[in-house]
Structure formats: structure tokens, C-alpha cells
Amino acid sequence: PADLSVTLNASREFLRVRAVADVVADERGYFSVLRKSELERLGFGRSQQLVTILAIPVWSVRGQVESYQLRPDKPRLNDKGKPRKYEMKSGTRMLLDAHPRLTCQRDGGKVPLIGDPSVPLFITEGIPKGDAAISIGLCRVTRPSQSVCVALRS
């Protein structure tokens, strides 16, 4: 359908503008969502079921998809009137995101990048930023947003 190809192209362009290589995006498994029923199946509440949306799989350091993050084309507003650019499922526990490239065995049977103490590890905020780092060969994990960290410290 025409709507799907326009949405997919817009999502791909969003990632390219942020310096995420196509192969890195494909390995993560970004996808566009056009139906609320798809978001319900992923466990998002009714208020979060905004379409169209870019769905971002959140990969654990164990190499599994643990959750999803959403980036709506038209975000809802928080209680301060600012757009919520990204949404996590309500009740999601805090986790680090590790691109799947970091958790798989490397050539020659070497340990995965994430487990190699000789490889510098970078920590970023925001999965697309982290995927841009992966795109240039860096080893990085993504931490939750500042607001989550501040809430957990208080």
C-alpha cells in the first residue's frame, strides 16, 4: 500500500538524518506501525496507541528484545505541555539497550563486543544516537532518559 511505503520511507529518512546506517537499522529491527491493534499486541495502553509511529525494539545485554520504544509522528503532550517524543510501555522496568551486533559472537570465536574488556564501552541517551555510534564502529549501550534516572534517585 502507498501509505505503508510513505511511512517506511519517512522512518528510514528519520534514521538516516541521525546517521544510523541502513544495515544497523535493519539489524535492530525498527518498524513502522499503522494500526492501533499492533500497539495493543505489543502491550501499549490506549493513550499510547498513536499511529503512525516508529517502533524501536529495545535489546537487552543478553541479546533479546525486552521491550519496545515508540516515536509517534504526532506525539502526545506531557503534564507540562511538552511533546513526549518517545514512549515506553507503562510499567516497563529500567534496562540498558545493547544493539544486537554487540551481543553476538565475533569472527574467530571472539567474545561478543559487549563482553570484551579491551573494547571501550560508550553510554549514550537515546537509541537512535546509540545506533549512530554503532554505525561508525563504536561499542555502546543506551541508558534511560534523565527524567527516569532522576526519579529513581529521589
Side-chain angles (χ1 to χ4, degrees):
D3 286 350
L4 179 59
S5 91
V6 168
T7 300
L8 291 174
N9 287 337
S11 295
R12 186 67 78 178
E13 186 58 24
F14 167 82
L15 296 169
R16 285 182 182 145
V17 165
R18 283 152 184 81
V20 177
D22 289 348
V23 67
V24 170
D26 292 342
E27 289 168 355
R28 172 170 296 283
Y30 289 91
F31 61 98
S32 294
V33 178
L34 300 175
R35 293 187 189 91
K36 291 181 179 191
S37 60
E38 292 177 73
L39 295 172
E40 183 176 22
R41 183 181 54 78
L42 294 175
F44 287 91
R46 288 194 186 274
S47 64
Q48 295 178 303
Q49 295 174 12
L50 308 168
V51 289
T52 59
I53 214 160
L54 176 63
I56 306 168
V58 179
W59 290 80
S60 75
V61 294
R62 293 181 297 281
Q64 302 167 343
V65 174
E66 294 284 334
S67 189
Y68 292 89
Q69 186 178 59
L70 305 177
R71 185 180 189 285
D73 291 351
K74 295 177 184 168
R76 62 191 180 126
L77 303 178
N78 66 17
D79 22 338
K80 294 181 180 177
K82 294 186 178 187
R84 296 178 182 198
K85 294 180 188 176
Y86 292 92
E87 302 235 8
M88 293 293 290
K89 282 191 278 189
S90 179
T92 299
R93 68 183 196 278
M94 186 170 55
L95 27 98
L96 289 175
D97 170 76
H99 188 279
R101 184 179 286 192
L102 302 180
T103 59
C104 61
Q105 284 293 107
R106 295 186 288 163
D107 291 339
K110 293 180 183 175
V111 298
L113 278 173
I114 195 120
D116 186 342
S118 69
V119 176
L121 175 66
F122 295 88
I123 301 171
T124 61
E125 182 178 37
I127 292 173
K129 283 182 199 167
D131 286 352
I134 297 292
S135 297
I136 60 170
L138 298 177
C139 180
R140 77 86 200 116
V141 293
T142 299
R143 66 178 177 80
S145 69
Q146 285 287 20
S147 58
V148 171
C149 293
V150 169
L152 289 173
R153 286 190 200 120
S154 47

